[in-house]
Amino acid sequence: MNPTPKSNRKLLTMLILGSIGMFGFGFALVPLYDVLCDTLGINGKTQNTASSYDAVVVDKNRTVTIEFVTQVQSDMPWEFSPKVNQISVHPGELTHAKFLVKNLSAKNIIGQAIPSVSPGQGAAYFNKTECFCFNQQPLAADTSAELPLIFYVNPDLPASINTLTLSYTLYDITDKQAVSAKQGAAR
Amino acid sequence: MSTTTHDTIDTAHDEHHHGAPKGLMRWVLTTNHKDIGSLYLWFSFIMFLTGGAMAMVIRAELFQPGLQLVEPNFFNQMTTVHGLVMVFGAVMPAFTGLANWLIPMMIGAPDMALPRMNNWSFWILPFAFTMLLGSLFMEGGGPNFGWTFYAPLSTTYSPDSTALFVFAIHIMGISSIMGAINVVVTIVNMRAPGMPWMKLPLFVWTWLITAFLLIAVMPVLAGAVTMVLTDKFFGTSFFDAAGGGDPVMFQHIFWFFGHPEVYIMILPSFGIISAIVPTFSRKPLFGYSSMVYATASIAILSFLVWAHHMFTTGMPVFAELFFMYCTMLIAVPTGVKVFNWVATMWRGSMTFETPMLFAVAFIILFTIGGFSGLMLAITPADFQYHDTYFVVAHFHYVLVTGAIFSIMAAAYYWLPKWTGNMYSETLGRWHFWCSVISVNVLFFPMHFLGLAGMPRRIPDYAIQFADVNQIVSIGGFAFGLSQLIFLAVVLKCIKGGKPAGDNPWQAADGLEWSIPSPAPYHSFTTPPEIK
């Protein structure tokens, strides 16, 4: 076999295209990851839109513990806490919860709360009919607010799950502007 | 500039029997596969010593509990850059250097298929590492987030020099991809007439498969660092939950690269050991074709196991079991290889020159690393071992006594061919025994530290770990010093020694042993005849 530069060039082109393709694949993993997590309901992300509450049967025989956890981005001058840390609910029961936020700084700041449910497989069964996390939360300097959450647990929740922990992390998005936050909310 | 590309082979015949040009520019402009192979190997050795010096800082700080020598932030930079330098600067360029030297000689080709790209793929490396190492001296320090640069450590909390880290990784990636492309084109298009696929030397086979792995995953790494760059400096939110991203996704993307990467660093070793063991057992390799299939299976499986690095991120049980079983499955083809090497040695008339000593040590110690890998693969057990020194012990067994030992074995085995002189067997044995004893003093007790709960990547530790850490550090210093013997062996061998002859090992098989030692500057300008 006498190798010609032509056969080299053909293979070279294919291999370069292959590596460019894999570079693209690296980025394609991002939407792929979101789609997979969404369809399999595995990474603890809850829906970012309100679910409707009709024709839900309340299962009075079962009690599920809901724990609330709050965190604030480390350099954000806000206080953020649930009014109660833990409640017991029946699956299907519509429940109200309140969270308190306080802007400790002398600046107006826009916050965005990101929810996450643990265990991750329970996230798909945690339905919010109203949540402050659906919107950005502008808070004027040195003021406080009460943020509402209305939710119910889907009665189909697997029997192995008895406790759901809902965690909110609050981020300062004043600089990031509405654009990127909206993109996030649209996901 | 002289050229050896194939289009000139017939027309410019008189160009082929000159020696190497003189002077510094020879090395800058060279397109000769042997020159570039030497450049890669020397570069990798310098990086090995650089990364080793950082390991010495780490072990000196960990000699005693408490903070003695360095600031915690500098300690973190040392662990990070030690990992990056050893992976991308020492192990990978060493294999590329061996590929450059050996693949054309093993398949009877006059040079690599794309000699100018070959020059480029080497010469961008020093710039990448200058940038990476230079960032250590910048205000705010160099990368301090671990070689795995998990977000948000590398995005929200990283120093400003992260941009330099990202560009350095980009350049290293481009270099490896170019090297890999060159290897593939060379092997596919330039085998000597009459050399069928299933007669390729195993080093060539393992490198071909490694090259495909490199082409598949290095671009994904480039994508990951690009996302880190834009997250940190340009306001994107790939890994930032505040903007709708997900930090756990970073780990998925990183380990999609990272797991095949660990096989990139071990498959060429398998090829080296498969060349050395038959020579010193004076028997042909047992199970050649099963070796080829095992290598290919390992490469394919390597894409299905990445999440075993992430068992503690809260994956669903099904995913944990899937990745656990896939990981354990890799033990099967790896076991095939180990048993084949042992079967090759079985009833052979074995001798134990330095390359064989390193090869036998590789088989034993790499297998220990494989077993601790199996322990880590067990999901419930991994929750205990995760992020402890057990993991550190595991990957140093597979990378130091695995990859590095095989590179040492290769260096001893082919040095006579490269230099034309025999190395000093006495010094070689000193190097081997010092290394093999100290490396076990260094890494074996780390298993116990990890099982006892000592976390990795910390500059300080609880007092009960003090004694074992002291032993580990002493092993570390001894192993570091032992490598200077290797430098002495190589320098001495280049300067002179007993003439090696074409085939210094009685039973060595392969085209590279059919040409004179030292290998002439241009070899196989006409393809050899394959019997």
Side-chain angles (χ1 to χ4, degrees):
Chain A
M1 179 174 52
N2 196 4
T4 60
K6 207 173 151 197
S7 67
N8 282 1
R9 219 174 301 135
K10 199 176 143 208
L11 191 53
L12 178 67
T13 319
M14 277 174 5
L15 293 170
I16 289 175
L17 286 179
S19 45
I20 293 172
M22 285 311 292
F23 185 70
F25 177 74
F27 284 88
L29 284 174
V30 177
L32 207 63
Y33 176 82
D34 283 337
V35 169
L36 273 179
C37 288
D38 258 12
T39 41
L40 301 175
I42 48 177
N43 72 341
K45 276 190 186 171
T46 56
Q47 302 97 318
N48 279 307
T49 47
S51 14
S52 60
Y53 181 74
D54 42 47
V56 180
V57 184
V58 181
D59 183 358
K60 290 274 185 198
N61 296 324
R62 203 174 152 198
T63 313
V64 179
T65 310
I66 309 291
E67 298 172 335
F68 299 113
V69 177
T70 55
Q71 288 155 79
V72 184
Q73 185 191 354
S74 59
D75 50 353
M76 186 179 179
W78 280 23
E79 262 176 18
F80 180 34
S81 60
K83 222 166 179 180
V84 287
N85 289 321
Q86 180 177 326
I87 46 173
S88 295
V89 299
H90 297 300
E93 187 184 4
L94 202 61
T95 311
H96 293 248
K98 292 249 187 297
F99 290 76
L100 304 171
V101 277
K102 190 170 184 202
N103 184 349
L104 303 171
S105 74
K107 287 188 305 181
N108 300 343
I109 292 177
I110 307 172
Q112 169 78 51
I114 305 290
S116 169
V117 169
S118 180
Q121 292 98 306
Y125 303 92
F126 191 89
N127 298 303
K128 291 167 289 189
T129 59
E130 193 189 325
C131 178
F132 57 94
C133 59
F134 296 155
N135 305 306
Q136 298 165 17
Q137 302 297 330
L139 208 54
D142 216 12
T143 52
S144 53
E146 231 180 43
L147 305 176
L149 164 70
I150 306 174
F151 69 94
Y152 68 94
V153 176
N154 189 320
D156 298 335
L157 182 75
S160 59
I161 301 178
N162 298 312
T163 306
L164 286 174
T165 307
L166 173 64
S167 152
Y168 280 110
T169 308
L170 196 59
Y171 291 94
D172 180 355
I173 57 163
T174 320
D175 297 333
K176 285 211 169 179
Q177 280 305 325
V179 189
S180 59
K182 277 222 180 91
Q183 275 171 357
R187 283 248 177 97
Chain B
M1 185 170 59
S2 75
T3 162
T4 51
T5 46
H6 333 292
D7 44 337
T8 61
I9 279 178
D10 301 321
T11 49
H13 196 77
D14 50 348
E15 266 207 285
H16 291 291
H17 300 287
H18 63 70
K22 300 269 175 280
L24 188 67
M25 288 316 272
R26 161 191 175 180
W27 298 103
V28 179
L29 300 176
T30 185
T31 54
N32 180 289
H33 73 102
K34 300 183 181 83
D35 281 354
I36 293 173
S38 304
L39 285 171
Y40 264 114
L41 288 171
W42 276 113
F43 178 78
S44 122
F45 189 69
I46 294 166
M47 285 298 123
F48 179 58
L49 295 184
T50 311
M54 292 170 190
M56 296 300 104
V57 174
I58 294 168
R59 283 324 315 176
E61 175 57 51
L62 293 175
F63 192 74
Q64 285 183 315
L67 295 174
Q68 284 88 28
L69 300 172
V70 293
E71 298 282 310
N73 187 37
F74 187 71
F75 183 91
N76 291 343
Q77 293 171 41
M78 286 292 103
T79 53
T80 305
V81 184
H82 164 75
L84 291 167
V85 163
M86 288 303 200
V87 168
F88 296 104
V91 175
M92 291 169 69
F95 282 138
T96 316
L98 291 171
N100 261 291
W101 252 105
L102 297 171
I103 288 176
M105 297 201 301
M106 284 177 162
I107 63 173
D111 203 310
M112 297 294 278
L114 309 158
R116 293 182 193 205
M117 190 166 89
N118 206 11
N119 172 294
W120 201 30
S121 68
F122 172 77
W123 274 111
I124 58 178
L125 270 186
F127 294 94
F129 282 91
T130 309
M131 204 146 76
L132 179 68
L133 294 171
S135 71
L136 285 172
F137 301 98
M138 284 180 60
E139 207 181 311
N144 57 2
F145 29 69
W147 86 276
T148 51
F149 60 104
Y150 278 12
L153 293 177
S154 58
T155 52
T156 317
Y157 303 105
S158 60
D160 293 340
S161 67
T162 305
L164 293 178
F165 156 81
V166 169
F167 293 136
I169 296 285
H170 276 148
I171 298 175
M172 293 168 204
I174 290 169
S175 163
S176 327
I177 291 169
M178 289 197 298
I181 288 176
N182 217 337
V183 166
V184 174
V185 179
T186 307
I187 298 174
V188 172
N189 283 352
M190 295 182 68
R191 277 166 295 132
M195 183 179 267
W197 285 105
M198 289 312 274
K199 268 191 169 176
L200 283 187
L202 264 171
F203 180 73
V204 179
W205 254 119
T206 51
W207 236 112
L208 181 68
I209 292 167
T210 305
F212 279 112
L213 285 182
L214 279 165
I215 293 167
V217 301
M218 290 311 283
V220 176
L221 174 70
V225 287
T226 309
M227 291 180 213
V228 164
L229 182 80
T230 58
D231 262 20
K232 182 164 174 63
F233 295 103
F234 303 111
T236 58
S237 301
F238 287 106
F239 310 126
D240 185 3
D246 190 335
V248 175
M249 185 178 71
F250 173 86
Q251 299 185 27
H252 282 288
I253 297 176
F254 178 81
W255 287 113
F256 182 84
F257 145 80
H259 204 79
E261 167 71 14
V262 307
Y263 293 110
I264 287 167
M265 292 189 285
I266 204 67
L267 293 184
S269 303
F270 293 164
I272 293 165
I273 302 303
S274 304
I276 293 175
V277 169
T279 298
F280 295 95
S281 306
R282 287 157 186 85
K283 273 176 66 193
L285 183 71
F286 185 90
Y288 171 90
S289 46
S290 67
M291 285 296 211
V292 175
Y293 296 130
T295 311
S297 330
I298 293 173
I300 291 163
L301 281 173
S302 75
F303 287 101
L304 298 174
V305 298
W306 77 89
H308 69 209
H309 298 269
M310 309 168 48
F311 281 149
T312 59
T313 53
M315 283 192 291
V317 175
F318 171 77
E320 304 207 316
L321 291 178
F322 172 82
F323 286 110
M324 171 170 116
Y325 289 128
C326 279
T327 306
M328 292 181 160
L329 207 56
I330 293 187
V332 177
T334 316
V336 166
K337 289 186 159 295
V338 172
F339 286 125
N340 279 347
W341 290 321
V342 175
T344 307
M345 289 190 270
W346 177 252
R347 294 193 165 171
S349 31
M350 292 170 71
T351 51
F352 295 92
E353 286 87 345
T354 314
M356 184 61 164
L357 287 174
F358 272 103
V360 172
F362 169 94
I363 296 170
I364 296 168
L365 299 175
F366 173 77
T367 305
I368 292 178
F371 280 140
S372 57
L374 271 176
M375 291 171 72
L376 287 162
I378 304 166
T379 310
D382 180 75
F383 274 67
Q384 171 74 16
Y385 306 148
H386 187 84
D387 255 346
T388 68
Y389 261 80
F390 192 81
V391 178
V392 179
H394 158 70
F395 68 71
H396 281 96
Y397 262 88
V398 288
L399 282 175
V400 179
T401 60
I404 301 273
F405 268 33
S406 78
I407 293 165
M408 297 287 180
Y412 281 107
Y413 186 58
W414 280 291
L415 257 181
K417 179 54 64 188
W418 298 336
T419 63
N421 306 318
M422 290 307 283
Y423 61 86
S424 158
E425 188 64 42
T426 320
L427 273 182
R429 281 169 197 232
W430 268 101
H431 173 223
F432 171 75
W433 286 109
C434 289
S435 296
V436 81
I437 292 168
S438 60
V439 87
N440 283 293
V441 175
L442 165 58
F443 294 123
F444 205 80
M446 283 186 184
H447 291 111
F448 306 124
L449 282 175
L451 292 177
M454 177 167 160
R456 61 190 283 212
R457 290 174 171 161
I458 45 143
D460 187 9
Y461 50 82
I463 197 104
Q464 75 262 30
F465 303 127
D467 295 346
V468 180
N469 265 297
Q470 221 158 66
I471 297 170
V472 166
S473 285
I474 291 167
F477 302 141
F479 183 71
L481 285 175
S482 308
Q483 303 322 305
L484 298 178
I485 309 177
F486 179 62
L487 179 63
V489 173
V490 173
L491 291 176
K492 196 161 172 255
C493 184
I494 292 173
K495 268 172 75 183
K498 209 175 90 209
D502 293 5
N503 190 347
W505 316 116
Q506 300 161 13
D509 198 20
L511 285 176
E512 77 269 33
W513 304 109
S514 67
I515 55 175
S517 303
Y521 198 59
H522 296 291
S523 45
F524 295 122
T525 44
T526 50
E529 197 134 333
I530 309 287
K531 282 152 275 177

